[in-house]
Amino acid sequence: MKLLLPNRLLWISRKVIFFIFFLSACSFWGQVDSKSGQSPINDPRWHTMVPQQIAADGKWTSYSLYYPKQADTLFLLNTQTRKKFEIPNGVYHRFSNDSKWFFAIDSKKRLNSIDLKAENHSYTPNVSTYKITDDSKYLAYLEDTEAAKGKTLFLKQLDKGASLPMENVTDFIFNKSGSRLAYVVKDKEESQLIVRNLAHKRDILLARSKNDYDNITWATTGNGLAFYERFSDNTILHWIADLNNPTIIKKFDPKKVGLKISEITSETLYISPDLKTVFFYGSQGKTTSAETAKDNDPATVEIWNTKDEFLYPAYKKIKKNLENPDVLVSWNPNSGFWQFLGDSLHSKTILGKDAKFAYATTNKNAFIPANDQAIASDILIYNLESKKEKRVMGKPHDLEFHVSPYGDFMVYFKEGNWWCYNAKTQQHTNLTKDIFIDFTNKNARTFPAPSYGLPGWSLDGTQVFLYDEFDVWAIDLYNQKAERITNGRKEKTVYRFYTLLASPYRNIEGLRSHAPTFDLKEGVVFNARNLGDERTGYFTFNSNEGLREIIFGNSLFSNLRLADNGTTVVYTEERYDLPPRLIYKNLSSKEPSILFQSNSQRFEYNWGKSELVSFQTEKDSLKGVLYYPSNFDPKKKYPMIVHYYEEWSHKLNNFIFPSNEVEYGFNIANYTSQDYFVFSPDIVYEIGNPGMSMVECITAGVDKVLELPFIDSKKMGAYGHSWGGYETMFLITQTDMFATAVAGAGFSDLRSFYFSMAWLWDVPQSWRFEKFSIRFGKGYFDEPNAYESNSPINFTENIKTPFLSWTGEQDTNANWEQTVAFFLALRKLNKEHIMLLYRNEGHVMANQKNALDLTEKINQWFDFYLKDLPPPAWITETH
């Protein structure tokens, strides 16, 4: 099912790769556009544009073009003069904070340095990484130098250009103020940790050892510094509170107290602002069964017990994290006092910024993406000043809770209301009981229904921001005063905080648990979407001026970048018939200007359009998107393919470029360029009756579209993949309105699917039914009749529609046997059906040739049944 794509997924979504291969017998490749004389599907110039960053003064911006076959390219563009620099495969790029420099590493491992004032582009070869001080005075980078037979650190003063080389450096980091540089030198004899005072150009040797040093971490205030020393069987934490007195080094040896510091370097150190406490991740120093298990264990039997919280295959993979997880540890270097902030059950810890309070609860639900058992635990609070621990409340499996920036408040969503726990008074308060607005998102795919969200807090942590369906609320946590700061409900416009202002890459410091904060006085940016007509855009907001429009209109506006000067933005605009273009705007001016038009070759072709269609079921007013053929003539009749997956209307203005190789076999632009209409209706689901409610939505939408005279009601096809594959299977058992249908990676027997394993995650599939998008909300034994009445396989005798299905032979997301079972049922009933079973493939096509073959075969199938074109041999031949 197209539901979750975690890191463990073996067959993941890839960026679309074009594989141009002409087959003379196939109409799929032969369709040409009357404007250009060639097919847009075969054009190798299609690409994806991704806006990247904007300089603090707004005078330069960067964006990337990603191609399927050519080298990806990073561009740097002057927003005023249009001066442009190109960096092939440019990655790890950033502006200096003073807007004078831009740096990136390219495919040849060169550090590209661009002086933005002089517009000079220089290169430094063999660079693996670099860092810039926040004050933009210094650049440091590691260069692989053959002469030194290792890495050499170069420290460069940017305004003077002089550089200082330091050989055999393995790690380096500037402090927050940019006044010092800590680096590790390692040769055959020893490692040395050195700190350079950049102003006085003096080096201090802090430590030397035969062991390695790593994880150098500066305090956010003062001159504190912590780092690890790695032994073969131990890791020691070193702490220096004041570099003005570097001889005083405190050490924490976990082995002496039965602990083990985490070996995962991504679990960073954190130093409290008052420099009194260091936080790190560690575990009990015991050996777990997971660590003692031998790879050549002779046992061949797995023991599964119905009482197991995690079934054997999942438990085998995660038992180290269950038996002895890494837990946050606090250590006071002066007193030597240390404590776990959590335990083996409560291993997820959220720490306030000033390190006075920490909250701990279970982390089990993060070990695997899904589980059929409800995982519950308490929420514990640790007062680091009093060194006391207290139980806050029981935490149900799906409880949403968030900790304020300083940890003195915890806000949680319970039974449709937001509640607050005050750590100082230890009181619980219902924050929203007097707000007569529903904060429960009843259209969500998960059970129980979650909230619309908690985006963050005020800078001082005294206000929490909440979402309802349309608006943003600010609630004072001391007096519970609530204020709605947007007014979108009246016009059905949804407002949400926008956070990717200067870059799509957010810098997260510390322990990655600090909450987002917003300053309403200084100003924030909201993105906006109107649910009626799908207008989109951005607004600024501050306490004095309220909402002010940046851009809002009948396009998809996205990827906003706001310069630190607060007056300059760039963003993208696109529609189905308009490829994304990069727009520049000064907020004091009304007129934006186009910086770059991506995929300009689109204008060489005739193109279709997208149109919003409104329709009605017995219970709901819904929308859908109708895509027109590129050579549309209202005097003709056209075939139409109905393509669906949950809600689609928000994609009205998404630009779609054609591709002859698609991982799930269907591309809308392919069909509109070949004289097809494509219709994608929104679907809403009745809990416990997803199949029948889906049929009602799709047929009502199609009936509405058929009021148009140029669509041939006898030449309509249906296509869905994953959850949409199930919908196709069920749809053709309930209606004969389609001339043909195609289902990819669907499931046909809800009872057997419920009682099967999702081997992708090593958990039962039942969680999808009870908690996720299949939307029963109850188990099979609770509502067996509902499961049976929504199972396609129970109604196969009704099918009169010629049907094509496909699945990957290794798909354990929507188990491939479900497609095979449906095929066998139709075979027994002598129904017209062909199944494509792809070897070594999963839920989508990972292999380029298979994606090409699938896309081609689906196109041939629709051409045969909807255009009456001659069928290829694979449709007609049997054996």
Side-chain angles (χ1 to χ4, degrees):
M1 248 189 300
K2 197 175 181 182
L3 302 175
L4 290 174
L5 294 175
N7 293 332
R8 296 178 57 204
L9 183 52
L10 301 179
W11 307 278
I12 61 174
S13 296
R14 302 166 293 116
K15 74 174 184 177
V16 179
I17 301 174
F18 295 89
F19 182 68
I20 303 171
F21 185 74
F22 295 93
L23 300 175
S24 59
C26 179
S27 66
F28 180 52
W29 315 111
Q31 180 77 31
V32 298
D33 185 278
S34 61
K35 184 177 180 180
S36 65
Q38 64 177 345
S39 170
I41 300 173
N42 297 323
D43 195 321
R45 293 174 291 174
W46 298 114
H47 57 266
T48 300
M49 177 181 68
V50 178
Q52 299 289 1
Q53 301 172 28
I54 187 169
D57 62 5
K59 294 181 180 179
W60 293 85
T61 189
S62 60
Y63 62 93
S64 297
L65 301 185
Y66 296 99
Y67 290 89
K69 299 293 282 187
Q70 307 173 37
D72 301 330
T73 306
L74 173 67
F75 292 89
L76 180 65
L77 181 65
N78 189 301
T79 59
Q80 310 301 310
T81 67
R82 305 303 194 265
K83 172 73 175 179
K84 184 184 293 185
F85 294 94
E86 297 184 20
I87 304 174
N89 284 314
V91 295
Y92 189 34
H93 43 84
R94 62 163 292 187
F95 290 96
S96 62
N97 289 340
D98 63 1
S99 301
K100 293 181 179 180
W101 294 91
F102 182 79
F103 300 97
I105 294 178
D106 63 24
S107 56
K108 296 181 180 179
K109 295 185 178 180
R110 298 180 301 182
L111 175 61
N112 292 252
S113 303
I114 300 177
D115 184 329
L116 300 179
K117 303 302 179 183
E119 296 187 346
N120 178 50
H121 191 174
S122 59
Y123 306 90
T124 305
N126 304 315
V127 174
S128 56
T129 188
Y130 70 92
K131 293 182 175 72
I132 316 169
T133 55
D134 286 349
D135 61 9
S136 304
K137 290 183 179 180
Y138 292 93
L139 165 73
Y141 58 88
L142 279 181
E143 182 180 329
D144 292 315
T145 52
E146 190 172 326
K149 297 182 180 180
K151 294 183 183 295
T152 299
L153 176 66
F154 287 86
L155 176 64
K156 186 174 183 179
Q157 199 165 343
L158 286 170
D159 59 345
K160 296 181 179 179
S163 59
L164 174 69
M166 292 161 273
E167 295 183 353
N168 300 317
V169 173
T170 61
D171 193 12
F172 68 98
I173 185 170
F174 290 108
N175 67 349
K176 184 70 175 176
S177 67
S179 62
R180 286 181 167 87
L181 172 70
Y183 61 98
V184 177
V185 176
K186 179 178 173 60
D187 58 24
K188 293 181 180 179
E189 301 298 325
E190 64 178 7
S191 295
Q192 297 179 353
L193 178 61
I194 302 170
V195 172
R196 169 166 284 251
N197 185 311
L198 299 179
H200 300 105
K201 299 180 180 179
R202 295 176 184 171
D203 284 340
I204 301 173
L205 176 61
L206 289 184
R208 62 199 313 165
S209 172
K210 294 181 179 180
N211 304 302
D212 293 338
Y213 295 126
D214 64 23
N215 263 37
I216 308 169
T217 302
W218 289 97
T220 55
T221 58
N223 295 314
L225 180 71
F227 58 94
Y228 287 147
E229 180 182 359
R230 304 283 190 180
F231 294 78
S232 59
D233 62 345
N234 192 20
T235 297
I236 289 180
L237 171 61
H238 296 256
W239 163 244
I240 301 171
D242 186 2
L243 286 174
N244 295 321
N245 192 359
T247 58
I248 302 176
I249 299 180
K250 303 286 187 178
K251 297 182 181 180
F252 181 80
D253 186 345
K255 205 170 186 179
K256 291 182 178 180
V257 293
L259 298 186
K260 182 178 181 181
I261 289 177
S262 172
E263 297 178 0
I264 303 174
T265 57
S266 63
E267 299 291 8
T268 57
L269 293 162
Y270 179 69
I271 301 163
S272 63
D274 61 8
L275 305 181
K276 293 181 179 179
T277 312
V278 182
F279 299 87
F280 59 93
Y281 282 92
S283 61
Q284 297 285 351
K286 61 185 180 181
T287 301
T288 67
S289 60
E291 294 168 322
T292 58
K294 297 180 180 179
D295 293 336
N296 59 350
D297 190 338
T300 58
V301 62
E302 297 179 358
I303 301 174
W304 295 39
N305 191 318
T306 57
K307 297 178 181 179
D308 290 334
E309 186 174 40
F310 296 97
L311 294 183
Y312 183 90
Y315 178 74
K316 184 178 180 181
K317 296 175 182 177
I318 63 176
K319 59 184 177 180
K320 159 61 172 68
N321 289 325
L322 292 174
E323 294 177 5
N324 193 20
D326 289 326
V327 178
L328 189 64
V329 180
S330 68
W331 170 53
N332 185 314
N334 293 321
S335 68
F337 176 81
W338 68 271
Q339 68 179 131
F340 277 119
L341 302 180
D343 51 42
S344 59
L345 176 61
H346 307 85
S347 59
K348 177 183 178 180
T349 305
I350 301 173
L351 178 69
K353 280 185 179 181
D354 58 2
K356 294 181 179 178
F357 296 101
Y359 298 77
T361 188
T362 183
N363 201 34
K364 288 184 180 181
N365 53 357
F367 294 155
I368 54 176
N371 190 25
D372 67 322
Q373 299 278 3
I375 299 171
S377 78
D378 294 332
I379 298 176
L380 308 178
I381 186 170
Y382 292 84
N383 186 320
L384 277 76
E385 292 182 328
S386 67
K387 301 180 179 61
K388 292 182 179 180
E389 168 191 342
K390 176 181 172 62
R391 177 185 179 275
V392 175
M393 60 184 292
K395 177 188 177 296
H397 171 69
D398 294 300
L399 182 81
E400 302 172 60
F401 79 98
H402 307 264
V403 174
S404 65
Y406 297 99
D408 42 358
F409 295 102
M410 182 189 81
V411 174
Y412 56 96
F413 191 65
K414 177 183 176 183
E415 297 175 352
N417 277 295
W418 283 102
W419 292 70
C420 175
Y421 171 78
N422 186 320
K424 296 176 180 178
T425 65
Q426 301 181 17
Q427 297 296 311
H428 294 261
T429 305
N430 188 332
L431 297 175
T432 56
K433 61 182 175 62
D434 296 325
I435 302 176
F436 300 104
I437 294 291
D438 197 347
F439 288 89
T440 304
N441 184 358
K442 295 177 180 177
N443 293 322
R445 303 174 73 192
T446 56
F447 295 91
S451 73
Y452 282 101
L454 185 158
W457 314 77
S458 61
L459 284 179
D460 61 5
T462 62
Q463 281 186 316
V464 64
F465 301 116
L466 305 174
Y467 290 149
D468 68 22
E469 183 178 4
F470 297 100
D471 291 310
V472 182
W473 293 76
I475 300 182
D476 189 295
L477 297 174
Y478 283 104
N479 59 26
Q480 289 79 56
K481 181 181 177 181
E483 178 186 5
R484 185 169 59 186
I485 60 178
T486 62
N487 191 22
R489 181 170 294 272
K490 182 178 179 180
E491 295 184 354
K492 295 187 175 180
T493 298
V494 178
Y495 291 96
R496 297 296 185 252
F497 282 103
Y498 183 72
T499 57
L500 307 180
L501 292 173
S503 167
Y505 311 105
R506 297 179 64 187
N507 294 323
I508 302 176
E509 298 178 347
L511 295 166
R512 303 190 308 281
S513 61
H514 294 161
T517 57
F518 303 96
D519 187 344
L520 298 187
K521 293 181 180 179
E522 182 70 20
V524 297
V525 173
F526 292 122
N527 59 17
R529 172 195 169 203
N530 184 276
L531 299 187
D533 54 21
E534 295 300 330
R535 286 176 297 158
T536 66
Y538 293 95
F539 292 78
T540 61
F541 176 89
N542 66 52
S543 301
N544 294 324
E545 299 178 343
L547 281 176
R548 297 188 67 179
E549 179 183 316
I550 298 175
I551 187 69
F552 192 67
N554 291 310
S555 296
L556 174 58
F557 295 103
S558 58
N559 300 302
L560 181 85
R561 305 288 179 257
L562 172 67
D564 285 349
N565 64 15
T567 64
T568 307
V569 297
V570 295
Y571 54 86
T572 57
E573 177 188 15
E574 66 182 284
R575 294 187 299 274
Y576 178 69
D577 58 354
L578 174 67
R581 55 188 184 184
L582 187 63
I583 308 290
Y584 166 86
K585 186 176 183 180
N586 189 307
L587 297 185
S588 62
S589 171
K590 293 184 178 181
E591 295 301 321
S593 59
I594 301 171
L595 294 178
F596 174 73
Q597 174 65 68
S598 74
N599 292 295
S600 58
Q601 71 275 10
R602 168 261 174 272
F603 302 104
E604 299 172 13
Y605 302 103
N606 291 332
W607 209 262
K609 67 174 182 176
S610 62
E611 182 176 272
L612 206 59
V613 176
S614 298
F615 61 95
Q616 188 76 33
T617 66
E618 288 188 6
K619 297 180 180 179
D620 298 289
S621 297
L622 300 177
K623 298 175 294 183
V625 180
L626 182 64
Y627 299 91
Y628 279 66
S630 58
N631 297 301
F632 174 64
D633 181 348
K635 298 177 182 178
K636 293 183 178 180
K637 285 273 191 179
Y638 291 90
M640 181 175 74
I641 299 171
V642 183
H643 168 251
Y644 33 80
Y645 192 93
E646 305 239 358
E647 292 189 0
W648 199 269
S649 57
H650 65 282
K651 299 182 181 182
L652 169 70
N653 288 311
N654 287 43
F655 176 73
I656 303 171
F657 58 76
S659 167
N660 58 15
E661 179 255 305
V662 187
E663 60 195 6
Y664 61 95
F666 190 87
N667 178 287
I668 289 171
N670 285 7
Y671 289 91
T672 58
S673 70
Q674 298 177 83
D675 287 337
Y676 282 95
F677 273 89
V678 177
F679 177 53
S680 294
D682 287 349
I683 301 171
V684 296
Y685 301 89
E686 180 185 343
I687 305 304
N689 197 22
M692 291 306 301
S693 54
M694 170 272 303
V695 171
E696 182 183 11
C697 294
I698 291 177
T699 55
V702 172
D703 286 341
K704 181 64 178 180
V705 171
L706 287 179
E707 294 177 6
L708 300 172
F710 33 74
I711 295 174
D712 191 341
S713 63
K714 295 182 180 179
K715 293 295 182 180
M716 296 191 303
Y719 179 76
H721 168 252
S722 187
W723 176 227
Y726 155 77
E727 291 175 322
T728 300
M729 291 176 174
F730 192 77
L731 182 66
I732 60 176
T733 70
Q734 303 298 313
T735 178
D736 300 330
M737 72 187 330
F738 297 100
T740 189
V742 181
F747 44 94
S748 58
D749 185 348
L750 298 191
R751 180 179 184 274
S752 66
F753 191 43
Y754 179 90
F755 290 114
S756 66
M757 286 289 289
W759 295 107
L760 191 61
W761 299 288
D762 296 319
V763 298
Q765 292 281 17
S766 54
W767 66 277
R768 300 185 189 277
F769 295 82
E770 298 171 8
K771 301 176 184 178
F772 204 51
S773 65
I774 303 180
R775 294 177 172 87
F776 278 89
K778 295 182 179 180
Y780 179 84
F781 293 115
D782 299 310
E783 296 285 349
N785 292 335
Y787 278 71
E788 298 301 340
S789 63
N790 284 272
S791 288
I793 205 163
N794 291 338
F795 306 98
T796 49
E797 290 183 282
N798 298 343
I799 295 176
K800 298 177 182 177
T801 306
F803 178 51
L804 173 69
S805 65
W806 68 266
T807 187
E809 198 180 35
Q810 296 185 34
D811 187 358
T812 61
N813 190 2
N815 300 16
W816 64 277
E817 296 97 331
Q818 288 284 317
T819 298
V820 174
F822 204 61
F823 167 83
L824 294 175
L826 294 180
R827 184 173 185 267
K828 283 290 183 183
L829 295 169
N830 296 316
K831 303 289 184 178
E832 191 171 352
H833 177 40
I834 291 177
M835 179 182 68
L836 307 175
L837 183 61
Y838 286 89
R839 295 188 180 278
N840 300 316
E841 293 286 7
H843 197 53
V844 294
M845 298 296 108
N847 181 280
Q848 175 182 317
K849 292 182 179 179
N850 288 339
L852 175 67
D853 182 78
L854 175 63
T855 306
E856 174 191 353
K857 281 184 166 56
I858 292 175
N859 207 123
Q860 290 172 334
W861 181 270
F862 282 130
D863 280 351
F864 172 51
Y865 282 100
L866 303 183
K867 288 187 173 181
D868 298 321
L869 294 179
W874 68 269
I875 292 179
T876 58
E877 291 182 354
T878 60
H879 55 268

